[in-house]
Amino acid sequence: MPSRFTGLKECTAHTVQLHYVVTCRTDRGRAGRVPITEQVTHRQMATGESLSGSDPENGRVRLLNSLSLDHRPEVGRAELCSSDDRPFAVGAGGADGDIDGTVERQGPAGRALAAAGRAVRVARVRRLAAALLVSLLVLIGCSVGDALRAPGNDSVAAKLAEWGRDHGFDGVITWLEQKTYRPPPTGGEPVGGIAEPGGEINVTQQPRRDSHPEGLPGPTTMTPLTHSPALPGEGVWHPVSTVRGRPAVQVATLRPDPAHTSFLAGLMWIDPTLVRGQLQPGTMDPGGHWQAADHITPQLAPSLVAVFNAGFRLNGASGGGYYSEHRTVVPLRNGAASLVLNNDGTAQVGAWNRDVRMGPAVASVRQNLVLLVDGGKVNPTCASGGTAQWGSTIGQAAFIHRSGFGVTANGAEVYVGGPALSVCSLGNLLAAAGVVRGMELDINPNWVSGTYFHRNPHGNPKGFRLFPGEQVSPAHYFTTSSRDWYGWYARH
């Protein structure tokens, strides 16, 4: 197929003097160099229109296709025929008189025409780029709109951040988080001191110091982590939810470290002999269809005693896998910190295939990073492990909202959440509560969400935030959740 010179019609000059040299080579070896001159006035040449000039062998030469600017400004190809209308099909080969023809522009007019052609091509590329950009913006706008309209009560900022991470902007979101991070202030004391938790219950009958079904021994008062005397009420456990008259959930408050003494972290102790746990799916993580509900349903509400967030996103950020209802959504990774729920609703925490492993009693496995507390001691890499161990968002040394979960030596389950926490200070809080194996869960104010409830047999229970700086509402999980979470329900 012959090439064309495209765009001559865009030339702004009224008259352009074109100088060409047509070089022909026939299959019989005849060749001729034909100078051609033609006046072109603001138009393209029509197919078959003659150009002046002569061929040593065949006389007058005509152009079969229209003359316009090619994508190569220096050289173009044309299909020619002789004066007796015998065609010279360019590149056809084999027939008597076939030729290869090239047309070269020469002189200032040729250079002007080339410049005009380049300008035309630039304009076309810009129009095409603009059209593509508009289309891209429309598609992005529709996609972002869908994300903002997604079910649930996540904040706009949280939905935009999650959309960005799901559409190739993970590095940008991480960079923005790092650039906008401001270390929390140090020193001082909590405003108003340490208040008694909302919803504290006066338990007149103390639990017996034995095993199921009478309940586990209650937790003991914790030593402050500030290297200073305890504030009134600091480290003291308070019962906030009961099952069969026994304290099923108890909460306490601690300042996180010697520097951030004006901040308070919350700790929630759960008795697995009175309460059973369940991993609840989110619409995004893990997504799909499940028997378990993605929110607190009317059927779940009467037995609800506590809820809290699960781990990092399953898009690779968690460094681990997800298993539930006999389905593996993300493959489980050896050595990853794993929160395992058994069929009976009790929890275990450990390194996968070292402390915990798959078996017929396993109901769900949620992995996140590596163990933060192991053998009752905080992982020594909590300040140095980097993104490979503690995630790539903002770094293990940043003091932000964090959460974690662990189990004690007698099987009690402990959740911790609070502001101004580094990975190390989160580990210290878990260890202070007697955790022997523990792991970090989700981070950042939009996702750290520990809540305990007073049950209501006739409707939704009343919820209470675990710590003063918690930003997620107690009503959060009564609507569809985008991320997976844990519900804890009274045993009957």
Side-chain angles (χ1 to χ4, degrees), residues 257-447:
D257 58 47
H260 301 92
T261 52
S262 65
F263 294 91
L264 297 174
L267 300 92
M268 181 161 53
W269 178 94
I270 300 172
D271 187 341
T273 67
L274 301 172
V275 173
R276 61 177 179 84
Q278 181 170 317
L279 177 59
Q280 316 277 172
T283 57
M284 291 175 56
D285 276 352
H289 300 283
W290 301 85
Q291 294 179 10
D294 57 17
H295 65 286
I296 300 168
T297 65
Q299 292 74 31
L300 294 173
S303 61
L304 181 68
V305 297
V307 296
F308 55 78
N309 56 276
F312 287 8
R313 293 289 310 276
L314 295 170
N315 56 6
S318 69
Y322 187 104
Y323 169 87
S324 187
E325 298 180 10
H326 309 288
R327 293 161 53 189
T328 298
V329 177
V330 178
L332 301 174
R333 183 173 63 86
N334 287 340
S338 306
L339 199 170
V340 178
L341 286 182
N342 299 315
N343 293 328
D344 63 1
T346 59
Q348 302 178 71
V349 172
W352 188 248
N353 281 335
R354 188 199 72 174
D355 310 307
V356 290
R357 53 186 46 85
M358 188 57 68
V362 172
S364 66
V365 182
R366 181 57 155 96
Q367 295 184 323
N368 202 61
L369 308 176
V370 298
L371 283 179
L372 177 54
V373 178
D374 193 5
K377 299 184 181 300
V378 177
N379 192 326
T381 68
C382 64
S384 60
T387 60
Q389 289 189 330
W390 307 116
S392 60
T393 54
I394 199 168
Q396 73 274 3
F399 293 90
I400 58 174
H401 278 62
R402 296 182 188 270
S403 64
F405 180 84
V407 294
T408 67
N410 66 355
E413 300 153 355
V414 177
Y415 171 86
V416 173
L421 301 181
S422 67
V423 172
C424 290
S425 56
L426 175 64
N428 289 332
L429 286 164
L430 288 167
V435 166
V436 292
R437 287 194 300 274
M439 57 192 288
E440 184 173 25
L441 295 179
D442 217 342
I443 63 174
N444 291 329
N446 290 314
W447 310 115

Side-chain angles (χ1 to χ4, degrees), residues 46 67 83 109 117 133 138 166 173 194 199 300 306 314 331 363 390 411 450 457 465 468:
L67 183 62
S83 57
L133 179 60
V138 170
D166 288 337
I173 302 300
I194 296 179
L300 294 173
L314 295 170
W390 307 116
R465 287 180 170 90

